[in-house]
Amino acid sequence: MTISYFSIDSLVIKNIQDYCTSLFPLQGYGILAGQTHYITHFFPITNLNTCACSFEFDPRDYIETIKKLRDLQLEWIGIIHSHTLTDAAPSARDLTHWSYPEKSCWILSLKEVEFNLCAYYIKHGQAIPVIYEIL
């Protein structure tokens, strides 16, 4: 089931911004979790790639995060990553390499002084924008 509207806790956004900013100029990456359409948790995943425009998650972090989701009885809602040099829109690489069509794709752009956060579903190489509200 694809959800077309999300709510996200403002503290989650703050945690994402802090984490991604701390990694600049590298991309930050993580998993968003909560219940149905409400995102209440951000789980950072270590980026093993040292290229500023790419990410490769640490498999151990990934496995540990999946265990935490199960232990906390949270649903895996989406994946977030930062774009350090570009807008908060899926890149060509995002569109062609996205492996989670049932998960929402969130992108935080650090390109400007003011952060820009956008959400999408990526299916068959197409980005479908998703509406969200901050609680």
Side-chain angles (χ1 to χ4, degrees):
M1 176 176 76
T2 300
I3 296 173
S4 60
Y5 178 86
F6 289 100
S7 298
I8 185 167
D9 190 279
S10 61
L11 184 57
V12 171
I13 292 178
K14 172 85 169 93
N15 291 338
I16 292 165
Q17 290 173 337
D18 290 348
Y19 178 72
C20 291
T21 302
S22 75
L23 297 177
F24 190 87
L26 300 178
Q27 287 190 352
Y29 179 80
I31 290 178
L32 300 172
Q35 300 296 327
T36 313
H37 71 278
Y38 183 36
I39 298 169
T40 56
H41 290 75
F42 164 63
F43 297 94
I45 305 286
T46 303
N47 181 0
L48 298 176
N49 195 320
T50 57
C51 175
C53 58
S54 184
F55 61 85
E56 176 186 347
F57 63 77
D58 182 325
R60 285 176 290 207
D61 278 2
Y62 173 78
I63 298 287
E64 287 302 314
T65 298
I66 298 303
K67 287 178 185 176
K68 286 178 193 173
L69 295 179
R70 185 181 59 230
D71 292 346
L72 296 170
Q73 298 181 351
L74 296 170
E75 295 174 40
W76 179 4
I77 295 174
I79 298 171
I80 182 144
H81 69 281
S82 60
H83 283 182
T84 57
L85 305 172
T86 60
D87 294 326
S91 66
R93 181 179 173 88
D94 292 334
L95 293 174
T96 58
H97 289 84
W98 187 254
S99 301
Y100 305 96
E102 73 287 355
K103 307 289 184 214
S104 53
C105 171
W106 297 67
I107 302 170
L108 176 68
S109 175
L110 305 176
K111 178 179 152 184
E112 305 293 333
V113 173
E114 190 167 318
F115 300 121
N116 187 15
L117 178 66
C118 293
Y120 305 88
Y121 281 105
I122 298 176
K123 296 183 180 193
H124 310 292
Q126 299 295 314
I128 304 159
V130 177
I131 297 170
Y132 70 90
E133 70 173 335
I134 301 170
L135 300 177

